[in-house]
Amino acid sequence: MPRQQVLVFRELPPDQLARLQAEHEVTVANPRVAEQRDAFFEALPHAQGLIGSSYRIDAPLLAQAPALRVISSISVGIDNYELPALRERGVMLCHTPGVLTETTADTLFALVMATSRRLVELAALVREGRWHKNIDEQMFGWDVHGKTLGIVGFGRIGQALARRAALGFGMPVLFHNRSAVNVDQELPALAGHARQVSLPELLAQADIVALTVPLTDETRGLMNAERFAAMKPGAMLVNGSRGGVVDEAALLAALDSGHLRAAGLDVFATEPLPLDSPLRPHPRVTPLPHIGSATHETRHAMAVLATSNLLQALAGETPAATVR
């Protein structure tokens, strides 16, 4: 098979970069890094394969890549890619579902715990030398066990989160999903523990609402002022999907009014979170820097799958994980 031109637009682990270099001509250039941006756009017209993540690939950029055949995204989310433009050009898009499910569910449940028990706030109390006596009720958190968890979006990650909550912490689980899920047949371990409901019913009953939906035209701004008002007074929101799913101004208003008790956020509409964002210092917000899948093991597994996807596609084979 002739060697083809591959453009790596986000750093790969050395072993996976070596796999690509063994079979193809490889340029590594991250367009987010000022010193590498020119190299990225110089290589783009010749690239037959792209591999990377967290960079917008749209119609104007594709117009500069006439040779492009495949993009392999080191992510499960595909909101950075203009799908109609890819389809029009006949460019294959691959991604990395599955390998990050359990790790991301770990992060989400950790965020549930940290937000409810105010762990980040209380750790800062100790770290900053402000712990002078036993805390009083003004610094108490709230129990997680036994509370009702509402999960909006019930794909792999939502289901993994439900297992942790229901089977580990005795939490009744309500979930809302765009398609029907037969829990008894498809998820027997959750039978009797998880129930599919409408979104209004979920918002009205859940003590904690967790978002695990992809960002699409339908879900952008899903959690707006109306839906925050429909949530149970004193409930918490946890977002581990995409920042655009939440109307951040409406969330701030719900927190400031006291209608929502707290929010745990791993994702934001603009990332990194701007220094002037009122979410950053808000006392009711537990913010994380988009770390859902950020463990050594999982990020390496994602890179392995993305590299395999790209090599298979360039060889004319069917990759393990393509976006339909």
Side-chain angles (χ1 to χ4, degrees):
M1 183 184 68
R3 294 172 70 86
Q4 300 180 62
Q5 298 292 325
V6 170
L7 176 53
V8 179
F9 63 96
R10 187 159 190 156
E11 291 72 16
L12 279 172
D15 60 335
Q16 299 310 301
L17 182 60
R19 288 177 66 196
L20 291 176
Q21 291 170 329
E23 297 191 33
H24 300 289
E25 303 300 324
V26 177
T27 300
V28 179
N30 187 337
R32 305 166 206 74
V33 178
E35 296 80 7
Q36 300 180 34
R37 185 173 173 81
D38 287 347
F40 172 83
F41 283 101
E42 287 172 6
L44 189 59
H46 312 288
Q48 292 154 296
L50 296 180
I51 182 170
S53 65
S54 303
Y55 189 72
R56 179 68 176 166
I57 306 292
D58 55 15
L61 188 142
L62 289 171
Q64 301 179 63
L68 187 62
R69 295 173 49 206
V70 58
I71 302 171
S72 185
S73 186
I74 313 172
S75 67
V76 64
I78 55 173
D79 46 287
N80 276 315
Y81 304 94
E82 190 174 326
L83 298 184
L86 292 177
R87 295 190 184 106
E88 183 178 346
R89 279 279 312 278
V91 175
M92 179 185 294
L93 177 62
C94 307
H95 64 154
T96 60
V99 294
L100 50 68
T101 297
E102 299 299 330
T103 297
T104 304
D106 283 349
T107 301
L108 277 170
F109 201 79
L111 194 50
V112 168
M113 292 290 295
T115 305
S116 192
R117 294 301 304 270
R118 302 170 69 172
L119 297 186
V120 174
E121 181 182 359
L122 293 173
L125 186 77
V126 179
R127 188 182 299 276
E128 296 167 6
R130 296 183 287 113
W131 182 33
H132 305 302
K133 60 180 181 178
N134 288 343
I135 65 170
D136 57 27
E137 64 181 17
Q138 291 184 341
M139 297 296 289
F140 288 173
W142 299 270
D143 285 334
V144 170
H145 64 272
K147 295 292 176 63
T148 297
L149 176 65
I151 302 176
V152 182
F154 208 58
R156 292 183 181 93
I157 294 170
Q159 293 168 18
L161 179 61
R163 291 197 306 273
R164 284 156 176 75
L167 306 182
F169 284 76
M171 301 176 73
V173 172
L174 304 176
F175 67 90
H176 174 71
N177 198 56
R178 64 181 180 180
S179 57
V181 178
N182 188 319
V183 174
D184 291 350
Q185 293 183 8
E186 299 174 40
L187 305 165
L190 289 173
H193 301 286
R195 182 165 60 92
Q196 187 164 6
V197 297
S198 68
L199 184 57
E201 183 177 351
L202 183 151
L203 296 176
Q205 295 187 21
D207 299 298
I208 302 166
V209 173
L211 307 178
T212 63
V213 292
L215 180 61
T216 65
D217 291 341
E218 290 74 25
T219 63
R220 189 177 299 277
L222 174 73
M223 295 304 296
N224 55 21
E226 179 183 355
R227 292 198 168 101
F228 286 130
M231 286 176 64
K232 187 176 180 179
M236 289 178 11
L237 177 78
V238 171
N239 188 11
S241 55
R242 288 292 186 268
V245 174
V246 172
D247 179 334
E248 292 180 344
L251 172 61
L252 282 163
L255 292 168
D256 288 340
S257 72
H259 180 68
L260 293 190
R261 175 174 292 154
L265 307 174
D266 187 37
V267 290
F268 301 90
T270 300
E271 297 180 357
L273 187 65
L275 290 178
D276 62 354
S277 169
L279 289 170
R280 187 181 61 82
H282 200 286
R284 294 176 181 265
V285 173
T286 300
L288 295 178
H290 202 153
I291 62 166
S293 63
T295 67
H296 293 287
E297 300 94 333
T298 294
R299 287 293 174 85
H300 189 266
M302 292 168 66
V304 170
L305 177 54
T307 301
S308 297
N309 284 337
L310 183 60
L311 289 172
Q312 290 167 339
L314 291 176
E317 303 169 0
T318 301
T322 59
V323 177
R324 302 295 179 185

